[in-house]
Amino acid sequence: MEITSATFPATGGTAASPQANAVLSSDFETFLQMLTAQAKYQDPLEPIDSSEYAAQLAQFSMVEQQVKSNDLLSALTAQLGASNMAQMSGWIGMEARTTAPVHFDGAPLTVAPNPAAIADNVQLVVYDSVGAEVQRLTIPTSAEPVHWAGVTSGGAPFPPGLYRFEVESRAQGELVLSEPAETYGTITEAQIHAGQTLLVLEGGSIVAADAVTGLRSPPLL
C-alpha cells in the first residue's frame, strides 16, 4: 500500500518564488531605464504625452501582478493537492465502485447493472484484459447488484486477471442500451498526476478519484 505523487513538490508559504521576484525586479529596472531614455531623446517639438507614460507603467504593473498571482495559485494548488492526498490515504484498502476493469482472483465479483427501464431482456457481457468477450449471461431486469461467479458454462473457473463488464438492454428483441457496468476493485495506491488524483486498483487498473461512485469496506475473510 503506497501513497505517491508524480507532481507533489515540497511546499512552504504562498509567497512568490525568489527567482520570480528577481526577474521582476530586473525587468522593472530595465523598464525604467527605457522610459528615461525615451524621455531624454524625445522630439522637443512633439513631446510624448504624459498619459502614455502612465499607460505603460500601468501595463507593466498589471503584468507584475499577474506573475505574482500565478505564483500564489501554484502554491495554493500544491497545498490543495497535499490535502487531497491526505484524504485519499484513508481510501487505500477500500473497495471502489467503478467501471474500470477489476481484478478477478477466483472470488465472485459484485456487478451493479443499470438497465433501461423499458428492457424486457438484460444481458451481462464479460470482457477480458484484451477486450475479448468471454461470457454473456442473462440477468434480472433490475438495478439490483448481481454476483459474477467467474466460471464458464461448463463450471470451469476463468483465469485470474482483469475483467470488465457491460450491460445490454433489449426491448422486443431490439438493443436499446449498452453501457459499462460498475464493479468493485480494491484500492492499492493513490497518486497525483498533472494535478489530478488517480487511484490504482488491484491488478493495475487506474481510475480518476472523481470517477469513483462508491466505497465499501472489503469483505471479512
mmCIF file of all heavy atoms in Angstrom, residues 86-129:
data_model
loop_
_atom_site.group_PDB
_atom_site.id
_atom_site.type_symbol
_atom_site.label_atom_id
_atom_site.label_comp_id
_atom_site.label_asym_id
_atom_site.label_seq_id
_atom_site.Cartn_x
_atom_site.Cartn_y
_atom_site.Cartn_z
ATOM 1 N N ALA A 86 -3.936 13.488 1.590
ATOM 2 C CA ALA A 86 -4.193 13.055 2.963
ATOM 3 C C ALA A 86 -5.557 12.382 3.068
ATOM 4 O O ALA A 86 -5.722 11.382 3.775
ATOM 5 C CB ALA A 86 -4.109 14.254 3.912
ATOM 6 N N GLN A 87 -6.544 12.917 2.348
ATOM 7 C CA GLN A 87 -7.870 12.302 2.348
ATOM 8 C C GLN A 87 -7.844 10.950 1.639
ATOM 9 O O GLN A 87 -8.461 9.987 2.090
ATOM 10 C CB GLN A 87 -8.869 13.231 1.673
ATOM 11 C CG GLN A 87 -9.111 14.534 2.429
ATOM 12 C CD GLN A 87 -10.065 15.451 1.690
ATOM 13 O OE1 GLN A 87 -10.506 15.156 0.591
ATOM 14 N NE2 GLN A 87 -10.385 16.583 2.299
ATOM 15 N N MET A 88 -7.120 10.883 0.529
ATOM 16 C CA MET A 88 -7.078 9.649 -0.235
ATOM 17 C C MET A 88 -6.393 8.513 0.524
ATOM 18 O O MET A 88 -6.640 7.348 0.256
ATOM 19 C CB MET A 88 -6.333 9.869 -1.563
ATOM 20 C CG MET A 88 -7.033 10.771 -2.575
ATOM 21 S SD MET A 88 -8.663 10.182 -3.094
ATOM 22 C CE MET A 88 -9.719 11.255 -2.119
ATOM 23 N N SER A 89 -5.522 8.851 1.484
ATOM 24 C CA SER A 89 -4.819 7.807 2.229
ATOM 25 C C SER A 89 -5.805 6.903 2.970
ATOM 26 O O SER A 89 -5.544 5.720 3.170
ATOM 27 C CB SER A 89 -3.830 8.431 3.219
ATOM 28 O OG SER A 89 -4.511 9.163 4.231
ATOM 29 N N GLY A 90 -6.939 7.467 3.365
ATOM 30 C CA GLY A 90 -7.953 6.671 4.038
ATOM 31 C C GLY A 90 -8.705 5.737 3.106
ATOM 32 O O GLY A 90 -9.443 4.859 3.574
ATOM 33 N N TRP A 91 -8.533 5.925 1.796
ATOM 34 C CA TRP A 91 -9.218 5.071 0.822
ATOM 35 C C TRP A 91 -8.450 3.786 0.541
ATOM 36 O O TRP A 91 -9.035 2.819 0.042
ATOM 37 C CB TRP A 91 -9.421 5.823 -0.494
ATOM 38 C CG TRP A 91 -10.446 6.901 -0.441
ATOM 39 C CD1 TRP A 91 -10.875 7.587 0.655
ATOM 40 C CD2 TRP A 91 -11.190 7.430 -1.544
ATOM 41 N NE1 TRP A 91 -11.825 8.516 0.315
ATOM 42 C CE2 TRP A 91 -12.038 8.445 -1.025
ATOM 43 C CE3 TRP A 91 -11.211 7.169 -2.908
ATOM 44 C CZ2 TRP A 91 -12.902 9.177 -1.842
ATOM 45 C CZ3 TRP A 91 -12.064 7.894 -3.718
ATOM 46 C CH2 TRP A 91 -12.898 8.883 -3.189
ATOM 47 N N ILE A 92 -7.164 3.779 0.826
ATOM 48 C CA ILE A 92 -6.353 2.609 0.491
ATOM 49 C C ILE A 92 -6.841 1.398 1.289
ATOM 50 O O ILE A 92 -7.040 1.468 2.503
ATOM 51 C CB ILE A 92 -4.864 2.883 0.759
ATOM 52 C CG1 ILE A 92 -4.362 3.953 -0.208
ATOM 53 C CG2 ILE A 92 -4.032 1.617 0.613
ATOM 54 C CD1 ILE A 92 -2.927 4.345 -0.007
ATOM 55 N N GLY A 93 -7.042 0.308 0.587
ATOM 56 C CA GLY A 93 -7.584 -0.897 1.201
ATOM 57 C C GLY A 93 -9.091 -0.998 1.065
ATOM 58 O O GLY A 93 -9.655 -2.085 1.263
ATOM 59 N N MET A 94 -9.753 0.123 0.717
ATOM 60 C CA MET A 94 -11.192 0.096 0.489
ATOM 61 C C MET A 94 -11.491 -0.430 -0.915
ATOM 62 O O MET A 94 -10.610 -0.475 -1.780
ATOM 63 C CB MET A 94 -11.774 1.501 0.646
ATOM 64 C CG MET A 94 -11.544 2.132 2.004
ATOM 65 S SD MET A 94 -12.590 1.425 3.292
ATOM 66 C CE MET A 94 -14.173 2.161 2.861
ATOM 67 N N GLU A 95 -12.735 -0.809 -1.137
ATOM 68 C CA GLU A 95 -13.165 -1.241 -2.462
ATOM 69 C C GLU A 95 -13.920 -0.095 -3.127
ATOM 70 O O GLU A 95 -14.904 0.418 -2.582
ATOM 71 C CB GLU A 95 -14.036 -2.491 -2.373
ATOM 72 C CG GLU A 95 -13.264 -3.729 -1.937
ATOM 73 C CD GLU A 95 -14.089 -4.994 -2.042
ATOM 74 O OE1 GLU A 95 -15.338 -4.893 -2.109
ATOM 75 O OE2 GLU A 95 -13.506 -6.090 -2.056
ATOM 76 N N ALA A 96 -13.442 0.304 -4.310
ATOM 77 C CA ALA A 96 -14.032 1.424 -5.041
ATOM 78 C C ALA A 96 -14.998 0.905 -6.097
ATOM 79 O O ALA A 96 -14.704 -0.063 -6.805
ATOM 80 C CB ALA A 96 -12.938 2.251 -5.706
ATOM 81 N N ARG A 97 -16.124 1.575 -6.199
ATOM 82 C CA ARG A 97 -17.117 1.217 -7.222
ATOM 83 C C ARG A 97 -16.810 2.023 -8.479
ATOM 84 O O ARG A 97 -16.833 3.260 -8.471
ATOM 85 C CB ARG A 97 -18.518 1.527 -6.721
ATOM 86 C CG ARG A 97 -19.631 1.211 -7.697
ATOM 87 C CD ARG A 97 -20.961 1.226 -6.990
ATOM 88 N NE ARG A 97 -22.080 1.282 -7.923
ATOM 89 C CZ ARG A 97 -23.342 1.029 -7.593
ATOM 90 N NH1 ARG A 97 -23.644 0.698 -6.353
ATOM 91 N NH2 ARG A 97 -24.300 1.103 -8.490
ATOM 92 N N THR A 98 -16.526 1.329 -9.566
ATOM 93 C CA THR A 98 -16.056 1.986 -10.784
ATOM 94 C C THR A 98 -16.337 1.124 -12.002
ATOM 95 O O THR A 98 -16.618 -0.074 -11.877
ATOM 96 C CB THR A 98 -14.532 2.244 -10.682
ATOM 97 O OG1 THR A 98 -14.041 2.709 -11.930
ATOM 98 C CG2 THR A 98 -13.786 0.980 -10.325
ATOM 99 N N THR A 99 -16.282 1.743 -13.172
ATOM 100 C CA THR A 99 -16.452 0.989 -14.422
ATOM 101 C C THR A 99 -15.115 0.504 -14.970
ATOM 102 O O THR A 99 -15.074 -0.116 -16.040
ATOM 103 C CB THR A 99 -17.143 1.856 -15.491
ATOM 104 O OG1 THR A 99 -16.370 3.040 -15.713
ATOM 105 C CG2 THR A 99 -18.547 2.242 -15.069
ATOM 106 N N ALA A 100 -14.015 0.784 -14.270
ATOM 107 C CA ALA A 100 -12.703 0.333 -14.726
ATOM 108 C C ALA A 100 -12.595 -1.190 -14.604
ATOM 109 O O ALA A 100 -13.303 -1.809 -13.800
ATOM 110 C CB ALA A 100 -11.610 0.998 -13.896
ATOM 111 N N PRO A 101 -11.718 -1.816 -15.389
ATOM 112 C CA PRO A 101 -11.503 -3.257 -15.230
ATOM 113 C C PRO A 101 -11.046 -3.575 -13.804
ATOM 114 O O PRO A 101 -10.269 -2.821 -13.211
ATOM 115 C CB PRO A 101 -10.397 -3.556 -16.245
ATOM 116 C CG PRO A 101 -10.496 -2.466 -17.260
ATOM 117 C CD PRO A 101 -10.918 -1.254 -16.493
ATOM 118 N N VAL A 102 -11.530 -4.682 -13.254
ATOM 119 C CA VAL A 102 -11.165 -5.068 -11.894
ATOM 120 C C VAL A 102 -10.530 -6.452 -11.901
ATOM 121 O O VAL A 102 -10.726 -7.255 -12.815
ATOM 122 C CB VAL A 102 -12.388 -5.044 -10.951
ATOM 123 C CG1 VAL A 102 -12.935 -3.629 -10.831
ATOM 124 C CG2 VAL A 102 -13.472 -5.986 -11.448
ATOM 125 N N HIS A 103 -9.785 -6.701 -10.834
ATOM 126 C CA HIS A 103 -9.040 -7.953 -10.743
ATOM 127 C C HIS A 103 -9.932 -9.079 -10.230
ATOM 128 O O HIS A 103 -10.645 -8.925 -9.237
ATOM 129 C CB HIS A 103 -7.844 -7.759 -9.814
ATOM 130 C CG HIS A 103 -6.998 -8.977 -9.669
ATOM 131 N ND1 HIS A 103 -6.232 -9.488 -10.700
ATOM 132 C CD2 HIS A 103 -6.798 -9.814 -8.608
ATOM 133 C CE1 HIS A 103 -5.589 -10.554 -10.292
ATOM 134 N NE2 HIS A 103 -5.918 -10.789 -9.032
ATOM 135 N N PHE A 104 -9.877 -10.209 -10.919
ATOM 136 C CA PHE A 104 -10.592 -11.418 -10.512
ATOM 137 C C PHE A 104 -9.567 -12.444 -10.043
ATOM 138 O O PHE A 104 -8.629 -12.763 -10.774
ATOM 139 C CB PHE A 104 -11.415 -11.977 -11.673
ATOM 140 C CG PHE A 104 -12.023 -13.326 -11.408
ATOM 141 C CD1 PHE A 104 -13.052 -13.463 -10.492
ATOM 142 C CD2 PHE A 104 -11.558 -14.459 -12.064
ATOM 143 C CE1 PHE A 104 -13.616 -14.710 -10.236
ATOM 144 C CE2 PHE A 104 -12.116 -15.710 -11.827
ATOM 145 C CZ PHE A 104 -13.144 -15.833 -10.905
ATOM 146 N N ASP A 105 -9.750 -12.929 -8.805
ATOM 147 C CA ASP A 105 -8.803 -13.903 -8.261
ATOM 148 C C ASP A 105 -9.475 -15.212 -7.872
ATOM 149 O O ASP A 105 -8.921 -15.995 -7.093
ATOM 150 C CB ASP A 105 -8.071 -13.302 -7.059
ATOM 151 C CG ASP A 105 -9.039 -12.881 -5.945
ATOM 152 O OD1 ASP A 105 -10.260 -13.123 -6.090
ATOM 153 O OD2 ASP A 105 -8.576 -12.308 -4.941
ATOM 154 N N GLY A 106 -10.670 -15.439 -8.401
ATOM 155 C CA GLY A 106 -11.400 -16.652 -8.067
ATOM 156 C C GLY A 106 -12.611 -16.395 -7.191
ATOM 157 O O GLY A 106 -13.539 -17.212 -7.152
ATOM 158 N N ALA A 107 -12.610 -15.257 -6.473
ATOM 159 C CA ALA A 107 -13.769 -14.907 -5.634
ATOM 160 C C ALA A 107 -14.802 -14.182 -6.484
ATOM 161 O O ALA A 107 -14.441 -13.406 -7.374
ATOM 162 C CB ALA A 107 -13.318 -14.031 -4.469
ATOM 163 N N PRO A 108 -16.090 -14.413 -6.246
ATOM 164 C CA PRO A 108 -17.137 -13.730 -7.038
ATOM 165 C C PRO A 108 -17.002 -12.217 -6.970
ATOM 166 O O PRO A 108 -16.606 -11.650 -5.958
ATOM 167 C CB PRO A 108 -18.443 -14.206 -6.386
ATOM 168 C CG PRO A 108 -18.085 -15.497 -5.726
ATOM 169 C CD PRO A 108 -16.664 -15.344 -5.255
ATOM 170 N N LEU A 109 -17.360 -11.553 -8.069
ATOM 171 C CA LEU A 109 -17.316 -10.100 -8.151
ATOM 172 C C LEU A 109 -18.734 -9.548 -8.158
ATOM 173 O O LEU A 109 -19.630 -10.097 -8.805
ATOM 174 C CB LEU A 109 -16.599 -9.653 -9.435
ATOM 175 C CG LEU A 109 -15.111 -9.998 -9.549
ATOM 176 C CD1 LEU A 109 -14.578 -9.564 -10.916
ATOM 177 C CD2 LEU A 109 -14.312 -9.331 -8.439
ATOM 178 N N THR A 110 -18.923 -8.456 -7.416
ATOM 179 C CA THR A 110 -20.227 -7.790 -7.382
ATOM 180 C C THR A 110 -20.328 -6.837 -8.562
ATOM 181 O O THR A 110 -19.457 -5.986 -8.757
ATOM 182 C CB THR A 110 -20.417 -7.013 -6.077
ATOM 183 O OG1 THR A 110 -20.304 -7.922 -4.974
ATOM 184 C CG2 THR A 110 -21.777 -6.336 -6.044
ATOM 185 N N VAL A 111 -21.381 -6.960 -9.336
ATOM 186 C CA VAL A 111 -21.612 -6.105 -10.502
ATOM 187 C C VAL A 111 -22.906 -5.335 -10.276
ATOM 188 O O VAL A 111 -23.923 -5.905 -9.863
ATOM 189 C CB VAL A 111 -21.710 -6.936 -11.799
ATOM 190 C CG1 VAL A 111 -21.898 -6.026 -13.007
ATOM 191 C CG2 VAL A 111 -20.475 -7.815 -11.979
ATOM 192 N N ALA A 112 -22.849 -4.022 -10.543
ATOM 193 C CA ALA A 112 -24.025 -3.166 -10.343
ATOM 194 C C ALA A 112 -24.566 -2.742 -11.708
ATOM 195 O O ALA A 112 -24.066 -1.791 -12.314
ATOM 196 C CB ALA A 112 -23.655 -1.940 -9.516
ATOM 197 N N PRO A 113 -25.577 -3.422 -12.225
ATOM 198 C CA PRO A 113 -26.138 -3.059 -13.527
ATOM 199 C C PRO A 113 -27.099 -1.885 -13.411
ATOM 200 O O PRO A 113 -27.601 -1.583 -12.324
ATOM 201 C CB PRO A 113 -26.881 -4.326 -13.949
ATOM 202 C CG PRO A 113 -27.320 -4.932 -12.654
ATOM 203 C CD PRO A 113 -26.241 -4.611 -11.652
ATOM 204 N N ASN A 114 -27.339 -1.238 -14.519
ATOM 205 C CA ASN A 114 -28.322 -0.157 -14.569
ATOM 206 C C ASN A 114 -29.058 -0.247 -15.898
ATOM 207 O O ASN A 114 -28.881 0.584 -16.785
ATOM 208 C CB ASN A 114 -27.634 1.199 -14.413
ATOM 209 C CG ASN A 114 -28.628 2.338 -14.275
ATOM 210 O OD1 ASN A 114 -29.749 2.148 -13.807
ATOM 211 N ND2 ASN A 114 -28.236 3.526 -14.711
ATOM 212 N N PRO A 115 -29.900 -1.261 -16.048
ATOM 213 C CA PRO A 115 -30.557 -1.486 -17.336
ATOM 214 C C PRO A 115 -31.610 -0.431 -17.646
ATOM 215 O O PRO A 115 -32.079 0.290 -16.762
ATOM 216 C CB PRO A 115 -31.203 -2.865 -17.154
ATOM 217 C CG PRO A 115 -31.439 -2.984 -15.682
ATOM 218 C CD PRO A 115 -30.295 -2.259 -15.036
ATOM 219 N N ALA A 116 -31.972 -0.367 -18.926
ATOM 220 C CA ALA A 116 -33.022 0.567 -19.345
ATOM 221 C C ALA A 116 -34.356 0.146 -18.731
ATOM 222 O O ALA A 116 -34.647 -1.050 -18.584
ATOM 223 C CB ALA A 116 -33.112 0.585 -20.862
ATOM 224 N N ALA A 117 -35.167 1.128 -18.403
ATOM 225 C CA ALA A 117 -36.442 0.842 -17.738
ATOM 226 C C ALA A 117 -37.387 0.042 -18.628
ATOM 227 O O ALA A 117 -38.217 -0.729 -18.136
ATOM 228 C CB ALA A 117 -37.103 2.148 -17.308
ATOM 229 N N ILE A 118 -37.260 0.209 -19.951
ATOM 230 C CA ILE A 118 -38.185 -0.469 -20.858
ATOM 231 C C ILE A 118 -37.694 -1.855 -21.264
ATOM 232 O O ILE A 118 -38.357 -2.553 -22.035
ATOM 233 C CB ILE A 118 -38.420 0.373 -22.126
ATOM 234 C CG1 ILE A 118 -37.096 0.543 -22.909
ATOM 235 C CG2 ILE A 118 -39.024 1.715 -21.772
ATOM 236 C CD1 ILE A 118 -37.284 1.204 -24.265
ATOM 237 N N ALA A 119 -36.532 -2.270 -20.746
ATOM 238 C CA ALA A 119 -35.941 -3.543 -21.171
ATOM 239 C C ALA A 119 -36.775 -4.726 -20.700
ATOM 240 O O ALA A 119 -37.289 -4.737 -19.573
ATOM 241 C CB ALA A 119 -34.521 -3.649 -20.643
ATOM 242 N N ASP A 120 -36.900 -5.710 -21.589
ATOM 243 C CA ASP A 120 -37.526 -6.974 -21.199
ATOM 244 C C ASP A 120 -36.513 -8.109 -21.201
ATOM 245 O O ASP A 120 -36.831 -9.245 -20.835
ATOM 246 C CB ASP A 120 -38.710 -7.308 -22.111
ATOM 247 C CG ASP A 120 -38.345 -7.312 -23.585
ATOM 248 O OD1 ASP A 120 -37.177 -7.620 -23.916
ATOM 249 O OD2 ASP A 120 -39.207 -6.973 -24.412
ATOM 250 N N ASN A 121 -35.269 -7.794 -21.593
ATOM 251 C CA ASN A 121 -34.186 -8.768 -21.559
ATOM 252 C C ASN A 121 -32.882 -8.014 -21.312
ATOM 253 O O ASN A 121 -32.581 -7.047 -22.005
ATOM 254 C CB ASN A 121 -34.101 -9.545 -22.872
ATOM 255 C CG ASN A 121 -32.945 -10.545 -22.873
ATOM 256 O OD1 ASN A 121 -31.832 -10.211 -23.270
ATOM 257 N ND2 ASN A 121 -33.220 -11.763 -22.436
ATOM 258 N N VAL A 122 -32.150 -8.448 -20.282
ATOM 259 C CA VAL A 122 -30.888 -7.791 -19.915
ATOM 260 C C VAL A 122 -29.782 -8.834 -19.873
ATOM 261 O O VAL A 122 -29.952 -9.904 -19.277
ATOM 262 C CB VAL A 122 -30.991 -7.076 -18.545
ATOM 263 C CG1 VAL A 122 -29.666 -6.396 -18.199
ATOM 264 C CG2 VAL A 122 -32.130 -6.073 -18.554
ATOM 265 N N GLN A 123 -28.673 -8.512 -20.506
ATOM 266 C CA GLN A 123 -27.537 -9.434 -20.536
ATOM 267 C C GLN A 123 -26.295 -8.760 -19.981
ATOM 268 O O GLN A 123 -26.014 -7.587 -20.254
ATOM 269 C CB GLN A 123 -27.269 -9.918 -21.960
ATOM 270 C CG GLN A 123 -28.371 -10.821 -22.507
ATOM 271 C CD GLN A 123 -27.995 -11.431 -23.847
ATOM 272 O OE1 GLN A 123 -27.297 -10.810 -24.642
ATOM 273 N NE2 GLN A 123 -28.452 -12.653 -24.089
ATOM 274 N N LEU A 124 -25.555 -9.522 -19.209
ATOM 275 C CA LEU A 124 -24.268 -9.087 -18.678
ATOM 276 C C LEU A 124 -23.184 -9.657 -19.585
ATOM 277 O O LEU A 124 -23.088 -10.876 -19.755
ATOM 278 C CB LEU A 124 -24.089 -9.584 -17.242
ATOM 279 C CG LEU A 124 -22.758 -9.235 -16.575
ATOM 280 C CD1 LEU A 124 -22.633 -7.740 -16.342
ATOM 281 C CD2 LEU A 124 -22.603 -10.000 -15.259
ATOM 282 N N VAL A 125 -22.391 -8.768 -20.169
ATOM 283 C CA VAL A 125 -21.332 -9.184 -21.090
ATOM 284 C C VAL A 125 -19.992 -8.980 -20.399
ATOM 285 O O VAL A 125 -19.708 -7.893 -19.865
ATOM 286 C CB VAL A 125 -21.374 -8.383 -22.405
ATOM 287 C CG1 VAL A 125 -20.388 -8.947 -23.409
ATOM 288 C CG2 VAL A 125 -22.792 -8.383 -22.984
ATOM 289 N N VAL A 126 -19.168 -10.017 -20.396
ATOM 290 C CA VAL A 126 -17.881 -10.000 -19.697
ATOM 291 C C VAL A 126 -16.754 -9.963 -20.719
ATOM 292 O O VAL A 126 -16.748 -10.733 -21.689
ATOM 293 C CB VAL A 126 -17.736 -11.235 -18.792
ATOM 294 C CG1 VAL A 126 -16.471 -11.133 -17.941
ATOM 295 C CG2 VAL A 126 -18.968 -11.410 -17.907
ATOM 296 N N TYR A 127 -15.793 -9.065 -20.481
ATOM 297 C CA TYR A 127 -14.631 -8.922 -21.369
ATOM 298 C C TYR A 127 -13.358 -9.138 -20.557
ATOM 299 O O TYR A 127 -13.271 -8.729 -19.389
ATOM 300 C CB TYR A 127 -14.589 -7.531 -22.003
ATOM 301 C CG TYR A 127 -15.768 -7.225 -22.891
ATOM 302 C CD1 TYR A 127 -16.932 -6.649 -22.361
ATOM 303 C CD2 TYR A 127 -15.738 -7.495 -24.259
ATOM 304 C CE1 TYR A 127 -18.027 -6.360 -23.169
ATOM 305 C CE2 TYR A 127 -16.828 -7.211 -25.073
ATOM 306 C CZ TYR A 127 -17.961 -6.645 -24.528
ATOM 307 O OH TYR A 127 -19.040 -6.358 -25.334
ATOM 308 N N ASP A 128 -12.361 -9.752 -21.215
ATOM 309 C CA ASP A 128 -11.088 -9.951 -20.526
ATOM 310 C C ASP A 128 -10.178 -8.744 -20.701
ATOM 311 O O ASP A 128 -10.597 -7.701 -21.232
ATOM 312 C CB ASP A 128 -10.404 -11.242 -20.999
ATOM 313 C CG ASP A 128 -10.040 -11.223 -22.479
ATOM 314 O OD1 ASP A 128 -10.048 -10.128 -23.094
ATOM 315 O OD2 ASP A 128 -9.751 -12.298 -23.035
ATOM 316 N N SER A 129 -8.917 -8.869 -20.293
ATOM 317 C CA SER A 129 -7.994 -7.739 -20.279
ATOM 318 C C SER A 129 -7.636 -7.229 -21.665
ATOM 319 O O SER A 129 -7.186 -6.088 -21.809
ATOM 320 C CB SER A 129 -6.705 -8.116 -19.537
ATOM 321 O OG SER A 129 -6.081 -9.226 -20.163
#
